[in-house]
Amino acid sequence: STHPLYNTTKIREPMRIQEEFLHEQIIKKSQFLTYLKQTRTEQEARDFIDLVRHKHPDSTHVCTAYSLQNGTIQRSSDNGEPAGTAGVPMLEAIKKSDIQDITACVVRYFGGIKLGAGGLIRAYSSSVSQAIELAPKTIDVPVDIYRLSYPYSMQGSLETWLRKNGEIKEILYGETIEILYATAIQGFMESVRDITHGDVTPVFLRQDLIETVVQEDTQ
């Protein structure tokens, strides 16, 4: 079931992680827990890292990487792992994914078998890339915002069509039904005039971006 805002929008805005996501893998008895979160500012990134570290005070390492604001802010930390074996591979995995505004924390519990530098690089890199692949994502879909007012007699036909072709953001029931509406389809005003035989004319308010979950078949 494709989200209505996908109907005709061909633009693929930068993808982000939808919500906090956790992924686990075991490599040679070491447990690697990867936490991902959408973070828009450096403060949000740091707060998330602090939270994950607080959750796992007994872990061997909590290595971190984040990329914000179109990649203009990038930081990583090996947190005690040999230099360059954790934070940088994690950041590289983020860069390859094209995901924006993301913080990744990989918590390691040592299982008794040393992985070596190459093994660590692969472990931290794959932990992040696997988590990113599995995590639900969002994109900012460019939409037009309209105000519409129509009689209750059109609730069935017009409202059904509207819900299929966009998103009703607000609805007010007064003498008529008034809605705030977001859509990405072309020729929207003409379509509404056709459906209502010219009785309803949408009022264009502004353009906006709406964060929309990426459907599985569009990834």
Side-chain angles (χ1 to χ4, degrees), residues 95-197:
K95 284 188 206 167
K96 277 185 195 147
S97 74
D98 288 331
I99 297 285
Q100 293 204 1
D101 300 324
I102 180 176
T103 299
C105 301
V106 179
V107 179
R108 183 186 181 195
Y109 286 94
F110 182 55
I113 301 169
K114 290 194 171 178
L115 300 182
L120 286 172
I121 290 167
R122 283 191 296 276
Y124 281 101
S125 170
S126 68
S127 290
V128 172
S129 55
Q130 282 177 27
I132 286 174
E133 196 176 324
L134 294 167
K137 298 164 197 74
T138 64
I139 55 168
D140 288 339
V141 176
V143 293
D144 295 325
I145 307 290
Y146 294 91
R147 180 174 286 119
L148 283 84
S149 177
Y150 50 91
Y152 284 83
S153 59
M154 288 185 186
Q155 206 170 356
S157 55
L158 178 59
E159 223 169 89
T160 302
W161 184 87
L162 289 170
R163 288 182 192 280
K164 277 184 190 159
N165 289 282
E167 199 172 292
I168 294 174
K169 306 300 290 175
E170 284 173 23
I171 193 157
L172 288 171
Y173 297 102
E175 285 184 18
T176 59
I177 298 171
E178 270 206 28
I179 64 164
L180 196 63
Y181 186 72
T183 184
I185 70 166
Q186 303 299 307
F188 171 71
M189 293 178 81
E190 292 79 3
S191 299
V192 170
R193 281 200 288 264
D194 286 350
I195 291 164
T196 63
H197 308 295

